[in-house]
């Protein structure tokens, strides 16, 4: 079971999620449709994460958006559909 501690960056959280699969950057990227170089940059907090990529992590791991963004220790998904997804996108000012 993954455990989030306060003050982890989004990159640290993404890395922990990926490492929980045991997959390399390249293999995991193929699984979710993101280049390994983008995953590497994200895990090192060297680029901003797009809503599209957050959604891919959300769908793959079934974790909440808030967990991915380090705003909640509760990793369970609470997605209630398209309307809440659009609200989250606006709330986080994501591209």
């Amino acid at each position: 079971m993954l455990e989030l501690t306060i003050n982890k960056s989004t990159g640290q959280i993404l890395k922990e999620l990926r490492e929980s699969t045991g997959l390399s950057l390249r293999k995991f990227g193929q699984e979710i449709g993101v280049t390994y170089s983008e995953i590497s940059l994200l895990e090192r907090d060297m680029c901003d994460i797009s809503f599209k990529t957050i959604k891919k992590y959300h769908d793959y791991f079934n974790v909440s958006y808030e967990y991915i963004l380090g705003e909640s220790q509760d990793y369970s998904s609470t997605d209630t559909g398209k309307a809440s997804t659009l609200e989250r996108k606006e709330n986080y000012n994501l591209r």
Side-chain angles (χ1 to χ4, degrees):
M1 178 181 254
L2 294 172
E3 187 175 316
L4 175 72
T5 57
I6 305 288
N7 298 325
K8 281 192 180 178
S9 71
T10 298
Q12 290 171 313
I13 294 165
L14 297 178
K15 185 173 184 174
E16 287 178 1
L17 289 170
R18 178 186 58 82
E19 288 179 340
S20 75
T21 68
L23 297 175
S24 68
L25 289 168
R26 193 175 302 273
K27 291 268 188 198
F28 181 66
Q30 290 170 347
E31 288 279 321
I32 66 168
V34 176
T35 66
Y36 76 92
S37 58
E38 181 180 354
I39 293 171
S40 176
L41 290 170
L42 289 168
E43 288 183 359
R44 292 181 289 144
D45 293 307
M46 296 183 72
C47 69
D48 293 331
I49 189 167
S50 69
F51 180 74
K52 183 177 176 181
T53 302
I54 290 174
K55 178 102 172 78
K56 289 180 180 190
Y57 275 84
H58 163 78
D59 292 344
Y60 188 88
F61 291 104
N62 195 32
V63 295
S64 69
Y65 295 98
E66 292 83 3
Y67 179 82
I68 294 169
L69 295 170
E71 296 183 1
S72 172
Q73 291 185 14
D74 181 11
Y75 61 84
S76 59
S77 177
T78 57
D79 190 13
T80 57
K82 189 174 182 178
S84 71
T85 299
L86 292 173
E87 286 174 13
R88 283 183 172 86
K89 186 174 180 178
E90 289 173 7
N91 288 341
Y92 295 119
N93 197 21
L94 299 169
R95 50 186 161 103

